[in-house]
Amino acid sequence: LRAFVSRLVGAFEHGQVAAILALLAEDAVFSMPPYPAWYQGRERIADSWLMPQDSPPGLRFLSTRANGQLALGVYKLEAAQNLYLPNCIEVFGLRGDLISEVTSFRNPELIRVFGLPEKLHP
């Protein structure tokens, strides 16, 4: 699991979209409650999820657990403050070595609930 997290985080932090997509099962599902829309399949997820647009994407990640599943606290660089501030919590369902489901909770306040730091320094 540590090796998987390292690959996933490394791909995101270095803007490697192809590597991120390679970690998704072909039929993976992405949702972002409370929004009703959800997406299935690598291509549809690539168009909806927080995919890096350039490298480096200005994101940092800290690993945690949510209901026994892998989760990442996502932090986004706020250049004016020179800090990475909370963005969301992403929870991953795994099937073997691939991500079968991503649930993105776009509530920065959840960072505290998971005991993660409220800011990260570059």
Side-chain angles (χ1 to χ4, degrees):
L1 188 57
R2 284 187 187 132
F4 180 85
V5 170
S6 181
R7 282 195 316 273
L8 178 62
V9 168
F12 263 113
E13 289 184 351
H14 293 99
Q16 300 168 336
V17 174
I20 296 165
L21 294 176
L23 294 173
L24 293 173
E26 190 65 39
D27 62 345
V29 173
F30 169 81
S31 63
M32 189 170 43
Y35 303 105
W38 60 277
Y39 304 89
Q40 184 171 24
R42 284 185 187 135
E43 289 179 28
R44 303 258 345 258
I45 291 172
D47 292 337
S48 64
W49 193 20
L50 185 64
M51 287 294 170
Q53 299 301 313
D54 50 36
S55 183
L59 299 173
R60 293 294 176 263
F61 301 82
L62 291 180
S63 179
T64 188
R65 305 286 285 177
N67 294 332
Q69 295 179 300
L70 168 64
L72 295 175
V74 182
Y75 296 78
K76 186 172 183 185
L77 179 62
E78 294 296 332
Q81 297 177 45
N82 197 33
L83 291 172
Y84 288 90
L85 299 178
N87 182 272
C88 64
I89 294 285
E90 306 224 316
V91 181
F92 298 87
L94 302 178
R95 184 182 329 126
D97 292 339
L98 297 174
I99 298 167
S100 60
E101 184 173 359
V102 180
T103 306
S104 185
F105 297 93
R106 300 284 179 182
N107 180 349
E109 298 297 318
L110 288 174
I111 292 288
R112 282 189 214 125
V113 173
F114 286 87
L116 297 173
E118 293 187 33
K119 60 187 172 191
L120 301 175
H121 296 276

